[in-house]
Amino acid sequence: MEIVDRLRTLRLVPVVSLPSVEAGLRLSELLLGCRLNVIEITYRTECAGEAIEQICSRFPELIVIAGTVLSPEQVDQAVAAGVKGSVSPGFTPRLAAHCRQHDIGFFPGVCTPSEVQAAREEGLHHLKFFPASLSGGIKMIDLFKTLYPDVRFMPTGGISQENLDQYLDCANVLCCGGTWLSPEGMLAKGKWDEIEQRLKRAVDLLDRRD
Ligand code: 3PG
């Protein structure tokens, strides 16, 4: 699937809870300026739906992923807006079945062997590992490698500039996600310089790895 290939190349997904649509538009420009052409917009704030619609239509070069997706209705709305993927904090067969009807990537959250196997049985081999740091972090990802060599993970939850390199070193990590690049509080206060610095530091790290 194309989205998986893109994430494998990009290696990092900024996860955002947007305080306003305007903040989302400004952040999208910054991301593109930093060559980080992907954003996961979580359905954790009221403006998420509208932000997803506007960002998809104004920035077609940005890969928009819907995050914290909990219901089929959210999937339908996000797909209609033009997202390329959806991410859920947990795994449910109902949501997996619904996403299968659409031509988008679905990355459900898992953190135990049973959850990995349940998702795998639904044909899903690219999973969000969440909450990564609270669920064993890199040690758990290494263990999953021996148990499920055909599964790749997107760890989120506790990823930061300090540990990003170590997570990306894991052969079974597809890409990492996190909110540290543009936390909601910083977006709300318009701390654009700080956000840009964080984005650049992360992109520098990715460039050094290439
Ligand atoms: C997510 O939804 O992916 C997580 O909340 C991200 O976790 P973080 O805030 O620790 O990056």
Side-chain angles (χ1 to χ4, degrees), residues 15 44 128 130 156-158 178-179:
V15 179
R44 292 188 205 176
K128 169 176 164 122
F130 177 76
T156 60
T179 60

Side-chain angles (χ1 to χ4, degrees), residues 13 15-17 40 42 44 67-68 87-89 128-133 154-160 177-181 183:
V13 178
V15 179
V16 297
S17 292
E40 178 186 323
T42 66
R44 292 188 205 176
T68 320
V87 175
S88 181
K128 169 176 164 122
F129 175 47
F130 177 76
S133 62
M154 181 198 299
T156 60
I159 313 298
S160 65
T179 60
W180 89 93
L181 298 156

Side-chain angles (χ1 to χ4, degrees), residues 39-73:
I39 185 169
E40 178 186 323
I41 301 171
T42 66
Y43 273 104
R44 292 188 205 176
T45 58
E46 239 172 69
C47 70
E50 197 191 333
I52 288 173
E53 280 171 25
Q54 290 214 26
I55 291 170
C56 282
S57 91
R58 292 204 204 180
F59 300 98
E61 62 277 53
L62 193 64
I63 298 170
V64 181
I65 295 173
T68 320
V69 170
L70 303 179
S71 70
E73 292 72 28

